[in-house]
């Protein structure tokens, strides 16, 4: 790591909470996760460009300006929405009904229905962005690349949301036992 990258890392470490607070002040009702994603994305972009011969006189001000620009981008893009009760035109079933195997014996059907209800309940506890990514990848079988293009989201953000969603679902389902 060169000197400029180290300097960027040090400034980010010192100012990270302030950056997140700044994002939360600019966007009413933004989740902590989205605020962290915006700050992380700006840091990632600036850190990866640190090797360029561009000298930034006031790095903190530059980072705040970059975060402000990313907030504007965040506010402009449409928010994806996936309904758990959305009916798939091809199969005529809802997303959650796809989990159940109709060929299983009655015990398995009841067991899967219970799992479906627990999963449905747990999914509703997730933040909408996490829930949308988890459903799209796990239930609908879509790729992260496809979602990134369709939702105009960075691939890393979607991966992060899926990871957080999986951890939260595991915790929620473990707590239900």
């Amino acid at each position: 790591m060169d000197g400029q990258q180290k300097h960027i890392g040090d400034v980010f470490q010192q100012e990270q909470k302030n950056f997140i607070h700044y994002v939360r002040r600019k966007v009413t009702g933004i989740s902590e996760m989205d605020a962290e994603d915006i700050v992380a994305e700006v840091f990632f972009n600036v850190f990866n460009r640190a090797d360029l011969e561009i000298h930034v006189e006031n790095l903190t001000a530059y980072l705040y300006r970059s975060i402000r620009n990313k907030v504007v981008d965040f506010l402009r893009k449409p928010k994806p929405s996936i309904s758990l009760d959305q009916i798939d035109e091809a199969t005529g079933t809802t997303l959650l009904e796809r989990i159940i195997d109709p060929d299983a014996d009655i015990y398995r059907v009841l067991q899967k229905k219970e799992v479906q209800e627990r999963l449905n309940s747990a999914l509703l506890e997730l933040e909408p962005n996490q829930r949308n990514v988890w459903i799209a990848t796990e239930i609908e079988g879509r790729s992260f690349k496809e979602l990134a293009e369709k939702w105009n989201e960075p691939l890393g953000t979607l991966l992060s949301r899926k990871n957080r969603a999986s951890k939260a679902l595991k915790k929620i389902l473990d707590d239900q036992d």
Side-chain angles (χ1 to χ4, degrees), residues 38 51 54 66 162 165 173:
I38 288 170
D51 59 341
I54 300 171
S66 297
K162 168 74 181 298
L173 292 172

Side-chain angles (χ1 to χ4, degrees), residues 115-127:
V115 168
Q116 179 185 6
E117 290 172 2
R118 288 179 61 208
L119 180 60
N120 185 25
S121 172
L123 284 169
L124 290 174
E125 289 184 41
L126 294 177
E127 291 188 28

Side-chain angles (χ1 to χ4, degrees), residues 22-23 26-27 30 38 42 64-79 152:
Y22 175 76
V23 171
K26 292 290 182 189
V27 183
I30 191 170
I38 288 170
V42 167
Y64 273 106
R65 175 62 79 151
S66 297
I67 290 169
R68 186 178 136 277
N69 292 341
K70 190 56 75 176
V71 165
V72 169
D73 292 346
F74 175 82
L75 293 172
R76 285 184 180 160
K77 71 181 169 191
K79 305 295 182 249
N152 196 23

Side-chain angles (χ1 to χ4, degrees), residues 23-160:
V23 171
R24 294 191 64 117
R25 278 194 339 251
K26 292 290 182 189
V27 183
T28 306
I30 191 170
S31 69
E32 185 74 21
M33 176 196 69
D34 284 336
E36 287 175 2
D37 286 347
I38 288 170
V39 171
E41 191 173 335
V42 167
F43 172 72
F44 179 77
N45 290 337
V46 171
F47 187 82
N48 284 336
R49 293 185 190 140
D51 59 341
L52 299 175
E53 293 300 321
I54 300 171
H55 175 69
V56 176
E57 192 171 312
N58 186 342
L59 181 59
T60 304
Y62 180 82
L63 289 170
Y64 273 106
R65 175 62 79 151
S66 297
I67 290 169
R68 186 178 136 277
N69 292 341
K70 190 56 75 176
V71 165
V72 169
D73 292 346
F74 175 82
L75 293 172
R76 285 184 180 160
K77 71 181 169 191
K79 305 295 182 249
S81 175
I82 294 177
S83 170
L84 297 176
D85 298 323
Q86 178 180 354
I87 296 177
D88 181 18
E89 294 175 14
T91 63
T93 60
T94 64
L95 294 175
L96 290 175
E97 287 175 338
R98 290 189 207 169
I99 296 173
I100 295 178
D101 179 11
D103 298 327
D105 65 351
I106 190 68
Y107 178 74
R108 287 191 151 196
V109 169
L110 291 174
Q111 209 173 24
K112 286 189 178 196
K113 188 157 185 85
E114 180 183 335
V115 168
Q116 179 185 6
E117 290 172 2
R118 288 179 61 208
L119 180 60
N120 185 25
S121 172
L123 284 169
L124 290 174
E125 289 184 41
L126 294 177
E127 291 188 28
N129 287 333
Q130 292 177 351
R131 179 175 52 244
N132 291 343
V133 171
W134 196 91
I135 290 171
T137 57
E138 291 297 320
I139 296 176
E140 295 179 347
R142 296 164 113 186
S143 71
F144 286 101
K145 184 177 180 182
E146 175 188 351
L147 294 175
E149 292 173 6
K150 181 177 180 185
W151 293 345
N152 196 23
E153 291 274 356
L155 186 64
T157 299
L158 296 176
L159 289 168
S160 175

